[in-house]
């Protein structure tokens, strides 16, 4: 095969300084332009007429271009080694010029130290383009190969570009973890030092106790010794006493023996002497008898002293009883007089109220007969009884208005747009008629529940109205989002008695913060978890005693009456036994329209009452009228006085909500800026009413000893 003429393989390629041209990568548009120019030049110069000249296969391994410096020693050695082989067939001129061109390009790229790997592939890409353009027969196959590699390279570039932020994030996470580890180590070192100090103190205390033990043992040994000495002393005293008693008995016996020895001489006395003694004795007897008679005559009616003292004591007790009864009688008389006065005032009020009642009965309309609504409400008597159960007249009016409003709402085919005013919520800003989607209450409740789930699952960065509209766009598409926004808004504005709709409407319109709904759900979930943990058999049953204990442990600040109300809402009755079992899982069930069990409703009612009571105590503690201004420092002190258990973070949250300031911008306690921050008390209480405000601990905390 004849080789091509040499003049047709010369490359006419002008360049500037190679290093300066390769220091910075050129844009893709510039590279494509240069590539097209190179293609035109080589196509013009390299006319591939005829067939290619053959090339020996044994030389293919020696002419493979590698990515190394063209001017390096290894390349020259390799070229020198090529000269040693006999070249029976000359290398095609086209191949030699392509190799020379590739070496020059690689040399220029090597001189540019900052050239990237992507730029190093450019010479090979250009050579491949020359092959594709010149070999017309293999152009489709070579083009498909090139396109496959280009697609794979583009895919790899996209993956590298996507992984670069992850690499930076990994570095940031690594630094954060290192900082946490250092902080934990510092904390551990501090804790170890504190434990060592405590250990030294305990060792000193042990030594002190050991010394006290030794001193006590010494004192006990001394006392034992003294006790032994005293025992010996008393033993000797006992023996001496026995000896003395024996001696006394001996002396008494001796004296009796002596008296018996002298008794026979008595019968030898003089009879005259005995007669005189008898006469004197009779005289003494007569005188004593006379004195006795005189005493009987003088003191015959006298009471004995013992009886007198007893009677005197009884008399004293009776006198005390009489005094107490007299005081009670006077008190009863006073109460009787006050009751008489109260009775008279009550009679006057009764007459006044009776006259007012007659006047009201004369001027007012009669009490409505709610049974007339049974035939009007959809569902008939059964549904009306279900709607009217345990509701007063005001609540029945709301139910009736909802039923009427629901019918009117379904008759509407469209809603008028509210425009783009600043007072219009962002999700309702539209001009023109809006389609009424006419969903059922169940569908609206399911949409709202899904919105809450998505809101709780993501970070709450955007405002709730904006999130609501974005949620509708994601769910129904941008074209139907505004229609669904108007439809759902009209429904939740109408149905006040539905818990899900009323709570969502309050949060959507800014009448309540999201934290109120979130904390209420967390409280119910925590209570359900406690009951599930107490159910050891996992059968869904608990005793009333367990139910009461769980309520008291979960809500330690609730009064006994409030706990009893919750138990009654859960199914407890005064005549129920504490061991009776009930299904606690039914307390947390909801119907298809989102209405919860009376137990959960009672929890919400108690929460609202407790919040109102908390704010009322706060107002009393401040001692200001609603139109007066309150400073930030005074509000801080008042909150700590009525709720001493408030932690610093919760207190800052309450103050931030009350004065509408970010927590980071709140002045420090005792700062002059704190005294200068003022706001109307009525506005402060309204802003606290919107947020999740509740008591953290008891008002009166006993001081710890």
């Amino acid at each position: 095969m004849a080789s091509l003429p040499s003049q047709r393989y010369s490359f006419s390629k002008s360049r500037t300084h190679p290093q300066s041209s390769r220091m910075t990568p050129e844009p893709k548009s510039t590279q494509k332009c240069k590539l097209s120019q190179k293609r035109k030049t080589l196509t013009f110069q390299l006319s591939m007429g005829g067939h290619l000249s053959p090339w020996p296969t044994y030389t293919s391994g020696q002419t493979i271009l590698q990515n190394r410096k063209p001017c390096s020693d290894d390349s020259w050695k390799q070229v020198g080694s090529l000269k040693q082989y006999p070249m029976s067939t000359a290398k095609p001129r086209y191949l030699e010029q392509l190799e020379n061109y590739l070496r020059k390009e690689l040399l220029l790229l090597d001189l540019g130290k900052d050239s990237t790997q992507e730029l190093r592939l450019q010479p090979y890409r250009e050579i491949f383009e020359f092959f594709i353009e010149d070999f017309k027969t293999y152009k489709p196959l070579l083009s498909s190969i090139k396109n496959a590699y280009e697609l794979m390279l583009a895919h790899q570039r996209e993956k590298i570009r996507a992984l670069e932020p992850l690499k930076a994030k990994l570095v940031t996470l690594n630094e954060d973890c290192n900082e946490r580890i250092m902080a934990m180590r510092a904390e551990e070192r501090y804790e170890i030092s504190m434990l060592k100090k405590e250990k030294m103190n305990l060792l000193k205390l042990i030594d002190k106790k050991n010394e006290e033990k030794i001193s006590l043992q010494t004192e006990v040994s001394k006392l034992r010794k003294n006790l032994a000495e005293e025992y010996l002393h008393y033993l000797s005293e006992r023996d001496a006493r026995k000896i003395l008693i024996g001696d006394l008995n001996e002396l008494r016996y001796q004296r009796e023996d002596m008296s018996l020895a002298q008794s026979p001489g008595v019968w030898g006395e003089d009879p005259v002497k005995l007669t005189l003694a008898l006469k004197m004795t009779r005289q003494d007897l007569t005188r004593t008898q006379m004195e006795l008679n005189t005493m009987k005559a003088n003191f015959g009616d006298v009471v004995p002293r013992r009886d007198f003292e007893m009677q005197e004591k009884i008399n004293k007790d009776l006198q005390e009883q009489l005094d107490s009864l007299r005081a009670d009688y006077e008190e009863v008389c006073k109460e009787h007089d006050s009751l008489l006065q109260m009775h008279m005032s009550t009679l006057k009020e009764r007459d006044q109220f009776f006259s007012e009642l007659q006047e009201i009965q004369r001027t007012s309309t009669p009490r409505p007969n709610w049974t007339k609504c049974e035939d009007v409400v959809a569902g008939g008597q059964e549904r009306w009884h279900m709607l009217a159960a345990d509701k007063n007249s005001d609540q029945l009016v709301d139910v009736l208005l909802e039923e009427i409003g629901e019918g009117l709402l379904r008759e509407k085919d469209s809603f008028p747009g509210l425009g783009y005013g600043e007072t219009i919520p962002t999700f309702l800003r539209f001009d023109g008629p809006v389609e009424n989607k006419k969903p059922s209450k169940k569908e609206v409740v399911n949409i709202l529940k899904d919105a809450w789930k998505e809101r709780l699952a993501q970070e709450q960065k955007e405002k709730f109205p904006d999130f609501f509209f974005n949620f509708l766009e994601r769910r129904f598409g941008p074209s139907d989002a505004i229609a669904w926004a108007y439809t759902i808004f009209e429904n939740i504005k109408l149905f006040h008695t539905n818990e899900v709709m009323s709570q969502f409407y309050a949060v959507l319109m800014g009448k309540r913060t999201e934290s109120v709904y979130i904390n209420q759900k967390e409280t119910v979930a925590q209570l359900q978890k406690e009951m599930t943990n107490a159910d050891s058999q996992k059968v869904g049953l608990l005793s009333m005693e367990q139910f009461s204990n769980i309520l008291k442990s979960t809500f330690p600040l609730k009064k006994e009456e409030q706990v009893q109300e919750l138990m009654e809402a859960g199914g407890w009755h005064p005549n129920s036994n504490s061991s009776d079992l009930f299904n606690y899982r039914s307390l947390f069930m909801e119907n298809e329209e989102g209405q919860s069990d009376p137990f959960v409703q009672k929890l919400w009612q108690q929460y609202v009452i407790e919040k109102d009571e908390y704010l009322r105590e706060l107002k009393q503690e401040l001692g200001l009228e609603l139109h007066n201004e309150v400073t930030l420092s005074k509000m801080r002190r008042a909150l700590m006085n009525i709720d001493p258990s408030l932690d610093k973070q919760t207190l800052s949250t309450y103050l931030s909500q009350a004065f509408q300031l970010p927590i980071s911008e709140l002045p420090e306690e005792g700062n002059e800026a704190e005294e200068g921050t003022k706001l109307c008390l009525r506005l402060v209480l309204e802003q606290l009413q919107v947020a999740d405000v509740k008591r953290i601990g008891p008002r009166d905390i006993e001081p710890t000893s």
Side-chain angles (χ1 to χ4, degrees):
M1 185 180 296
S3 59
L4 298 175
S6 60
Q7 65 270 17
R8 300 179 67 181
Y9 288 87
S10 63
F11 287 87
S12 60
K13 192 172 182 65
S14 62
R15 291 185 177 273
T16 58
H17 193 274
Q19 186 172 358
S20 62
S21 63
R22 294 296 179 179
M23 288 297 288
T24 56
E26 297 177 345
K28 291 185 177 180
S29 60
T30 307
Q31 294 176 2
K32 290 181 179 179
C33 182
K34 289 186 175 182
L35 180 60
S36 61
Q37 291 177 0
K38 292 175 183 178
R39 288 176 182 173
K40 291 178 181 179
T41 304
L42 291 176
T43 304
F44 177 75
Q45 293 176 353
L46 306 176
S47 176
M48 298 300 296
H51 301 280
L52 293 175
S53 60
W55 180 251
T57 56
Y58 64 84
T59 60
S60 61
Q62 302 166 4
T63 59
I64 295 175
L65 296 175
Q66 300 179 357
N67 190 5
R68 60 168 60 93
K69 295 180 179 180
C71 298
S72 61
D73 296 336
D74 296 336
S75 62
W76 286 110
K77 290 177 183 179
Q78 201 169 22
V79 173
S81 64
L82 289 174
K83 294 179 180 179
Q84 298 174 4
Y85 290 95
M87 300 295 290
S88 61
T89 304
K91 182 187 294 186
R93 184 63 177 168
Y94 183 62
L95 178 59
E96 289 180 356
Q97 296 213 4
L98 287 178
E99 288 178 349
N100 293 332
Y101 173 74
L102 182 59
R103 288 192 187 94
K104 292 177 182 179
E105 291 291 327
L106 292 176
L107 178 60
L108 292 175
L109 285 175
D110 187 67
L111 293 176
K113 300 300 183 181
D114 296 335
S115 58
T116 59
Q117 295 295 330
E118 183 72 19
L119 193 57
R120 290 180 182 274
L121 292 176
Q122 186 63 26
Y124 295 97
R125 189 180 285 112
E126 293 174 358
I127 296 298
F128 201 64
E129 287 287 341
F130 298 152
F131 272 103
I132 293 173
E133 291 297 331
D134 291 328
F135 295 100
K136 304 297 183 179
T137 305
Y138 303 99
K139 183 176 181 179
L141 177 61
L142 295 175
S143 298
S144 62
I145 294 171
K146 177 180 177 297
N147 292 334
Y149 277 96
E150 290 292 341
L151 290 176
M152 180 55 65
L153 287 174
H155 177 65
Q156 295 297 330
R157 282 196 298 271
E158 291 296 329
K159 290 183 68 175
I160 292 171
R161 191 178 297 109
L163 290 175
E164 285 179 355
L166 294 179
K167 181 179 179 182
K169 187 174 181 181
L170 182 63
V171 173
T172 306
L173 289 176
N174 188 16
E175 293 177 356
D176 294 341
C177 292
N178 290 333
E179 291 178 358
R180 291 181 183 177
I181 291 171
M182 295 300 292
M184 291 175 66
R185 288 178 178 174
E187 186 177 355
E188 288 178 355
R189 287 196 295 271
Y190 175 74
E191 187 176 357
I192 290 171
S193 63
M194 295 300 295
L195 290 174
K196 286 182 178 179
K197 292 180 181 179
E198 187 177 359
K199 176 185 175 183
M200 296 302 296
N201 294 332
L202 291 175
L203 289 175
K204 292 179 181 179
L205 182 61
I206 290 172
D207 295 338
K208 184 178 180 181
K209 294 295 182 181
N210 289 332
E211 293 177 358
E212 292 179 357
K213 179 181 177 182
I214 293 171
S215 62
L216 290 174
Q217 288 178 352
T218 305
E219 187 175 358
V220 167
S221 61
K222 289 182 181 179
L223 291 174
R224 285 179 179 175
K225 184 177 180 181
N226 294 335
L227 180 62
E229 293 177 355
E230 290 293 329
Y231 178 75
L232 293 176
H233 175 70
Y234 284 117
L235 189 63
S236 61
E237 290 289 334
R238 187 195 66 177
D239 295 340
R241 181 173 178 276
K242 288 182 178 180
I243 294 172
L244 180 60
I245 290 173
D247 294 341
L248 290 175
N249 290 333
E250 184 67 24
L251 290 175
R252 186 179 64 185
Y253 293 153
Q254 290 179 3
R255 188 178 63 180
E256 289 179 355
D257 292 342
M258 290 177 63
S259 61
L260 289 175
Q262 294 178 358
S263 59
V266 175
W267 300 102
E269 291 184 357
D270 188 7
V272 178
K273 185 177 179 180
L274 292 175
T275 303
L276 182 61
L278 179 60
K279 183 178 179 180
M280 295 299 296
T281 304
R282 286 177 177 175
Q283 290 179 357
D284 293 337
L285 178 61
T286 303
R287 187 173 59 255
T288 305
Q289 188 67 36
M290 290 176 65
E291 291 179 356
L292 179 60
N293 293 333
T294 304
M295 292 289 292
K296 287 181 178 181
N298 293 333
F299 301 101
D301 298 332
V302 177
V303 179
R305 186 175 186 83
R306 183 179 60 186
D307 296 342
F308 173 76
E309 291 177 352
M310 184 180 295
Q311 294 297 328
E312 187 177 15
K313 182 179 179 182
I314 294 172
N315 184 30
K316 185 177 180 181
D317 294 339
L318 292 174
Q319 187 66 33
E320 291 178 355
Q321 292 180 4
L322 179 62
D323 294 338
S324 63
L325 291 174
R326 185 178 287 111
D328 293 341
Y329 174 74
E330 292 176 355
E331 186 69 24
V332 169
C333 289
K334 292 179 181 179
E335 292 180 358
H336 176 69
D337 295 338
S338 62
L339 289 174
L340 284 176
Q341 295 177 1
M342 188 181 298
H343 177 67
M344 296 301 295
S345 61
T346 306
L347 288 177
K348 292 180 181 179
E349 291 179 359
R350 185 198 65 179
D351 297 338
Q352 182 180 357
F353 290 152
F354 181 73
S355 60
E356 291 178 358
L357 176 61
Q358 289 180 341
E359 182 67 21
I360 291 172
Q361 288 177 350
R362 185 178 62 83
T363 57
S364 63
T365 57
R367 181 176 177 80
N369 185 11
W370 296 108
T371 56
K372 297 179 181 179
C373 300
E374 297 176 356
D375 300 331
V376 180
V377 175
Q381 181 180 2
E382 183 178 355
R383 186 168 183 273
W384 174 253
H385 286 317
M386 182 184 67
L387 293 174
D390 300 329
K391 290 183 175 62
N392 54 28
S393 297
D394 186 40
Q395 293 173 343
L396 289 174
V397 171
D398 292 338
V399 172
L400 191 59
L401 289 176
E402 288 181 4
E403 292 294 322
I404 297 172
E406 185 178 5
L408 295 175
L409 192 61
R410 289 193 175 277
E411 292 178 358
K412 290 184 178 181
D413 294 329
S414 62
F415 304 104
L418 301 178
Y420 295 94
E422 295 182 356
T423 58
I424 305 300
T426 56
F427 60 92
L428 297 178
R429 292 178 181 176
F430 187 79
D431 194 6
V434 182
E435 180 187 359
N436 183 8
K437 294 296 183 178
K438 298 181 180 180
S440 63
K441 291 176 65 176
K442 181 180 178 181
E443 291 175 348
V444 175
V445 169
N446 291 335
I447 292 172
L448 298 181
K449 287 183 177 179
D450 293 341
W452 275 121
K453 289 179 182 178
E454 185 172 333
R455 181 64 170 177
L456 298 178
Q458 68 179 10
E459 296 182 2
Q460 301 176 6
K461 294 182 179 180
E462 56 184 350
K463 295 183 179 179
F464 194 79
D466 298 335
F467 156 77
F468 175 61
F469 189 75
N470 294 334
F471 167 77
L472 295 178
E473 284 185 337
R474 289 190 295 271
R475 181 155 184 162
F476 302 106
S479 59
D480 290 339
I482 192 68
W484 277 103
Y486 270 83
T487 303
I488 294 176
F489 178 74
E490 292 295 333
N491 278 272
I492 64 179
K493 184 175 67 174
L494 175 63
F495 298 106
H496 296 288
T497 58
N498 188 281
E499 295 177 19
V500 178
M501 293 187 184
S502 61
Q503 291 180 358
F504 196 90
Y505 177 75
V507 175
L508 189 63
M509 300 307 294
K511 298 179 180 179
R512 192 178 300 144
T513 59
E514 299 176 53
S515 59
V516 177
Y517 175 84
I518 295 172
N519 290 335
Q520 184 69 13
K521 289 296 181 183
E522 289 178 352
T523 302
V524 174
Q526 178 65 23
L527 187 60
Q528 188 175 7
K529 181 181 178 182
E530 293 292 336
M531 292 184 182
T532 305
N533 294 336
D535 182 14
S536 58
Q537 302 295 331
K538 305 302 180 185
V539 294
L541 298 177
L542 286 179
S543 64
M544 284 297 176
E545 184 177 1
Q546 290 176 318
F547 185 37
S548 175
N549 294 334
I550 291 172
L551 289 176
K552 291 178 180 178
S553 62
T554 307
F555 307 108
L557 299 179
K558 287 189 181 295
K559 300 178 182 178
E560 190 68 28
E561 297 81 6
Q562 294 175 316
V563 175
Q564 188 172 356
E565 288 178 358
L566 291 175
M567 293 183 65
E568 291 177 356
W572 178 81
H573 300 285
N575 55 357
S576 299
N577 193 357
S578 60
S579 60
D580 293 342
L581 300 178
F582 75 102
N583 184 8
Y584 66 88
R585 294 173 181 171
S586 62
L587 301 180
F588 307 98
M589 296 178 64
E590 295 181 353
N591 59 12
E592 60 181 8
E593 294 183 355
Q595 293 294 105
S596 58
D597 191 80
F599 173 75
V600 179
Q601 295 178 7
K602 180 60 67 175
L603 270 178
W604 172 253
Q605 292 173 4
Q606 289 186 358
Y607 168 78
V608 174
I609 294 172
E610 290 169 359
K611 181 195 286 188
D612 295 339
E613 179 67 20
Y614 188 79
L615 296 179
R616 186 183 61 79
E617 291 182 10
L618 178 62
K619 181 179 178 298
Q620 290 180 354
E621 182 68 24
L622 291 171
L624 299 174
E625 297 296 332
L626 291 177
H627 61 273
N628 293 338
E629 290 186 343
V630 59
T631 62
L632 184 61
S633 60
K634 192 169 184 179
M635 177 63 69
R636 188 192 300 273
R637 290 193 298 270
L639 285 171
M640 291 304 299
N641 289 337
I642 67 170
D643 197 357
S645 301
L646 272 177
D647 56 281
K648 188 175 181 181
Q649 183 178 0
T650 307
L651 178 61
S652 300
T653 304
Y654 287 178
L655 294 176
S656 173
Q657 177 65 29
F659 289 87
Q660 292 297 300
L661 292 174
I663 296 179
S664 59
E665 296 181 6
L666 285 176
E668 296 182 359
E669 186 175 0
N671 196 352
E672 294 180 358
E674 187 180 29
E675 294 293 337
T677 306
K678 297 180 181 179
L679 201 62
C680 180
L681 179 59
R682 179 185 58 79
L683 186 58
V684 168
L685 294 178
E686 288 178 356
Q687 291 169 354
L688 286 176
Q689 184 70 36
V690 171
D692 179 37
V693 178
K694 58 185 176 181
R695 182 175 293 281
I696 303 301
R699 179 161 185 170
D700 299 327
I701 299 179
E702 298 181 358
T704 56
S705 58

